[in-house]
Amino acid sequence: MYINKIHIQNYRNFSDFTMEFHKGLNVIIGANNSGKTGLLYAINLLNSPSDISVNDFNKNNLLKYSKLYLETAPSITIEYSICHRIREDDTDDESIIKLLPFLGIKEFAENRQEHDGVVEYNIAARIRAVYSLDTKFLEEYKKAVANEVNNFEDYLLVLKRFVEKHYSWNYTNGISDTKAEQKAVTDIFDIRFIGAERTSEEVRKETKREIISFTKDADNASDFDKFKRDISEDIEKLLSPSITKLATLFENEKNAIGLAKGNVSIASTVHANFSLADTYTTKIKDTKCGYTLPLQNNGLGYNNLINIYMLIKLTEIRPGKDFRILCLEEPEAHLHPAMQYKLFKYLRDLDDINGLNQQIFVTTHSSNISAVAGIDNMFMLAYNREGNDSDCTQQSLMEQFADKDGTTIKAEAKAHLTKFLDVTRSDMLFSDKVILVEGIAEKLLVPLFMEICGCSYEDEHISIVEIGGKHFKYFVELFNSNAVKKKVLCITDKDFKWIDFDGDGKLRSYSEYESDEPTHITDLKQRFSIENFHICTQSIGGRTFEDEFFLTNMADKNVAIAVFKRAISNTINDFFDKYSFDLTAWEAHIDEVDGRSHKTVKKFLDAYKSRVDDSPERTSDYEKLIFAEIFLHYAKDKKGDVALGALTDKALMNQDGSSKLIVPYYIQEGLTWLLK
């Protein structure tokens, strides 16, 4: 049994929002305030219907109160669709009885399936929960709004008064609209909610509550006084199976959640001289040093791990076939990256390891967790803050990569991203905008370029992703026409071959350069003709980022000199100090260059002469181009070092610490598009 769909209206970030889920693990990712926490709370409301405050209504709708809520009061509606498969001959499945108030007879009959003499039903149930004003008070509400409200603040005060006194939850069968009791809903679900703001004391209390729940059997509680007198023996007998199992599981599996390396063990004990509520305690032992501390004295990171782990195991121990859900908010809280990875790998494999009949919902901001989550388990959540109809959108990555058109590109993209969505690359899943670059030099320098252009990429929630080549199509496929509309800027190289040293060794013409479009750019334009995708590439002679960057910065000779010296080898450093960018002097004194550099520089000079002789009117352009080609030749094996040098070289900084560098024009154009 599992929740396969939720429809939320007028709750928190959700004006009118629908999302489908998977059986098992569901990882919800997105930027801050995208709706992740609200989604978990909406799920948890099934188990623990709580009082709703005025702040839980969708703010965008409340702001339109004068249009929407003069004649009717706002309400919250959450509809849950539940799937459950049952065999006709399974007489032990009690879940179907709990679902009966929410079934449709017609739907039940239509979902009958028979295979090899075995009859199964794919049960579809629907629960509609509505938080609304009691109709008896509607007229009173309307009068209050008419007489007391002059602005939005006034309206909130009126609504708050009615919410606190006259609002309540009501439940119906979402198929037939038949009324249902609240208990009929809450009895279906066994939901464990672990919030992001968890303390040591909460850890202790939660664990204790769960263990004590085993003592609430009527037979044991019937004679409480006798139970207290014999507490040592009776508690040990009662709790021994669960305590023993927990301790054994912990010792056998603690490495699965990353505790083994911390020299940590756990012990559960019973104290006869305490009240029932304090009979069970958990202590943490440092096995290396030998000392023992209460759980609440342990670090928050270990406490989080232990709390999550024990709640999962207690769910496994609990008898019955209740529908189990684990809602885990930001499991990365208080954990260093390695522990995050270990814990989540454990959560991902829970069903396979333990065979738990459990649906798991996890929200996270951690790229460490998204890197291991698996594409099929992830959902992107975004909140559109543009325009008057702001609302949440979501996208299942499994659905995004479903190969519906019979091509192989989606399968190829999924396979590629499965391998390469590491910690740094998966960061793009959380950002508002994405810049895809080929190599390390662009990744290092683009943040500086944004600063020079007057914008910080952190403030814009931009992720810069180095894809290590030209595999843009796989990464862009992640955002291709999906519901979460992120702007994606692709900064790619033109890779025009100015000189073919294996061929004629001549310098190509500018007309060839200007008319050339690489096939990978053509392919990208054809496949991704979407408004939120843009490609930019070199335009003034560069064939890669590095030489275009150099060409752009030749406008300032001192800057160009500092950049050039970051790339060239020691064998021509002194030569360059003498003759700078005087190509005539280079030709005249080429014999002063030693070793391999002599042969290399001469090849470039010969290519330059072949072109200048044909096009003397563009001599100045070709001079710059040759120096750019020489720069690229020496920079190609140390692009990262060159980029770091450009970031840190004092010769490239003004007195106030700002950079003297000029942003390549094609990148300026791309950033302008991204930021508008």
Side-chain angles (χ1 to χ4, degrees), residues 280-437:
Y280 174 81
T281 61
T282 300
K283 292 186 177 181
I284 306 298
K285 183 178 181 179
D286 187 307
T287 57
K288 190 174 183 178
C289 300
Y291 59 79
T292 301
L293 291 172
L295 179 63
Q296 61 265 33
N297 287 38
N298 206 47
L300 285 174
Y302 281 144
N303 284 349
N304 276 327
L305 280 174
I306 293 164
N307 187 32
I308 295 167
Y309 178 81
M310 294 186 80
L311 286 177
I312 291 168
K313 291 305 178 185
L314 285 164
T315 300
E316 183 185 42
I317 297 167
R318 184 185 292 273
K321 293 188 176 182
D322 290 336
F323 176 23
R324 299 170 182 140
I325 294 178
L326 174 64
C327 293
L328 182 55
E329 186 183 14
E330 299 178 22
E332 67 270 18
H334 313 300
L335 298 180
H336 64 71
M339 272 192 173
Q340 292 177 27
Y341 181 92
K342 196 80 172 179
L343 170 64
F344 199 78
K345 189 174 184 299
Y346 174 78
L347 290 173
R348 186 191 66 185
D349 298 335
L350 256 183
D351 283 336
D352 294 334
I353 295 172
N354 299 316
L356 294 181
N357 182 24
Q358 181 170 233
Q359 192 173 20
I360 303 173
F361 296 93
V362 178
T363 65
T364 183
H365 296 119
S366 171
S367 53
N368 294 286
I369 287 177
S370 62
V372 74
I375 285 174
D376 285 347
N377 297 318
M378 285 195 286
F379 299 81
M380 290 190 296
L381 200 63
Y383 185 64
N384 176 25
R385 292 173 174 82
E386 298 178 4
N388 297 323
D389 297 322
S390 299
D391 203 0
C392 282
T393 55
Q394 60 84 22
Q395 180 66 51
S396 161
L397 296 196
M398 177 189 285
E399 182 68 19
Q400 179 67 13
F401 289 102
D403 190 9
K404 298 176 182 178
D405 56 5
T407 64
T408 60
I409 180 63
K410 286 187 176 287
E412 291 174 358
K414 184 177 180 179
H416 187 91
L417 290 172
T418 298
K419 292 180 181 178
F420 291 100
L421 272 181
D422 57 14
V423 172
T424 57
R425 295 181 178 94
S426 62
D427 181 62
M428 67 181 173
L429 300 172
F430 302 90
S431 60
D432 293 338
K433 302 172 183 177
V434 179
I435 301 176
L436 301 175
V437 299

Side-chain angles (χ1 to χ4, degrees), residues 252-263:
N252 292 340
E253 300 181 19
K254 64 184 178 181
N255 191 51
I257 55 170
L259 288 172
K261 295 292 184 181
N263 302 306

Side-chain angles (χ1 to χ4, degrees), residues 423-487:
V423 172
T424 57
R425 295 181 178 94
S426 62
D427 181 62
M428 67 181 173
L429 300 172
F430 302 90
S431 60
D432 293 338
K433 302 172 183 177
V434 179
I435 301 176
L436 301 175
V437 299
E438 290 191 17
I440 184 64
E442 300 99 304
K443 182 174 175 64
L444 289 171
L445 286 170
V446 166
L448 174 64
F449 293 161
M450 293 191 68
E451 184 181 320
I452 294 171
C453 294
C455 178
S456 169
Y457 83 101
E458 294 99 341
D459 294 339
E460 291 286 334
H461 304 290
I462 294 172
S463 176
I464 303 170
V465 182
E466 175 201 351
I467 67 170
K470 291 184 170 57
H471 305 296
F472 293 98
K473 62 181 180 181
Y474 300 141
F475 287 82
V476 182
E477 194 67 54
L478 188 62
F479 309 106
N480 186 19
S481 299
N482 71 22
V484 180
K485 298 185 183 300
K486 295 189 182 189
K487 275 192 159 184

Side-chain angles (χ1 to χ4, degrees), residues 628-656:
E629 286 287 305
I630 293 172
F631 172 83
L632 182 61
H633 171 82
Y634 285 105
K636 65 182 180 182
D637 294 326
K638 51 180 178 181
K639 294 179 179 180
D641 291 338
V642 172
L644 281 171
L647 287 170
T648 58
D649 194 337
K650 291 185 178 179
L652 298 174
M653 297 179 187
N654 296 307
Q655 288 187 346
D656 61 359

Side-chain angles (χ1 to χ4, degrees), residues 27 124 166 288 431 580 585 602 617 672 674:
V27 182
H166 307 306
K288 190 174 183 178
S431 60
S580 185
K602 191 173 187 312
E617 73 281 358
T672 299
L674 188 69

